[in-house]
Amino acid sequence: MFHRILFGIYDSSAARAALERAVELVEAGHGRLGLLSSAPGPPAIPAAGPVMLPISRSQLDQQLIDWAQRNVEEAARRVPQEIPVTKIVSRGSPGRALLREARSGLWDLVVVGQSHRKRRPLLERVGERLNRHSPTPVLVVHEEPREPVRRRRRWLRRRRAQVRTA
């Protein structure tokens, strides 16, 4: 049974499903839930080209941290009151922050959500990265697949129409 479960927060339907699953596991094990949100660092060059941001780098950094804190608070509101929650806000990429926490030895399980969005070829998903590098077991909760939309190609319809008329 897992007693200390770490959940990586971000805004998607897969993450909401993963949070529900993490809460179920914590309730079953009478444990503690850790909520981690990571604030990405501001871009190295806030102004590239003719357009400049109307905000300083430190102000942007503070806004990103505030955003991560709001994510943690919102996720904590979705957790039942009787479950103890540890709130963690970190800086950097979400995958690295979760991996750093997983390596700390404080958690028995890491739970993340994974959507079925089309992915870019060179980018690694957080769940895949954690599965390969984390010493802590990782549960990747997949988003419910949507109904596939059947699209017919125009050229195929035209071709079939030509064949029928010939």
Side-chain angles (χ1 to χ4, degrees), residues 6-8 36 38 88 90-107 109-112 124-138:
L6 178 63
F7 171 69
L36 182 138
S38 182
I88 305 167
S90 67
R91 293 181 184 210
S93 75
R96 288 188 181 136
L98 283 166
L99 189 57
R100 189 172 43 248
E101 274 299 311
R103 287 180 174 161
S104 72
L106 299 174
W107 306 102
L109 177 69
V110 178
V111 179
V112 293
E124 183 178 41
R125 291 185 173 167
V126 172
E128 294 170 359
R129 178 184 175 91
L130 288 171
N131 271 330
R132 268 201 302 284
H133 301 290
S134 174
T136 306
V138 178

Side-chain angles (χ1 to χ4, degrees), residues 7-21:
F7 171 69
I9 300 169
Y10 56 97
D11 188 27
S12 75
S13 58
R16 286 186 285 278
L19 179 59
E20 290 173 9
R21 185 68 178 130

Side-chain angles (χ1 to χ4, degrees), residues 22-37:
V23 167
E24 290 172 8
L25 291 169
V26 168
E27 286 176 335
H30 303 290
R32 169 174 289 279
L33 180 63
L35 302 173
L36 182 138
S37 182

Side-chain angles (χ1 to χ4, degrees), residues 45-89:
I45 303 173
V51 178
M52 289 187 62
L53 295 175
I55 188 170
S56 71
R57 184 174 167 83
S58 62
Q59 290 171 325
L60 181 58
D61 189 41
Q62 186 57 47
Q63 285 184 1
L64 290 169
I65 291 171
D66 293 343
W67 169 80
Q69 288 174 339
R70 283 193 306 272
N71 284 344
V72 168
E73 294 302 326
E74 184 179 324
R77 282 193 293 274
R78 294 177 185 215
V79 176
Q81 292 286 334
E82 60 272 4
I83 294 178
V85 173
T86 301
K87 300 173 186 175
I88 305 167
V89 175

Side-chain angles (χ1 to χ4, degrees), residues 146-158:
R146 297 182 187 149
E147 288 291 320
V149 178
R150 295 192 64 178
R151 296 183 202 173
R152 296 187 144 234
R153 295 187 178 115
R154 287 184 194 162
W155 64 268
L156 183 59
R157 281 188 286 193
R158 281 190 227 134

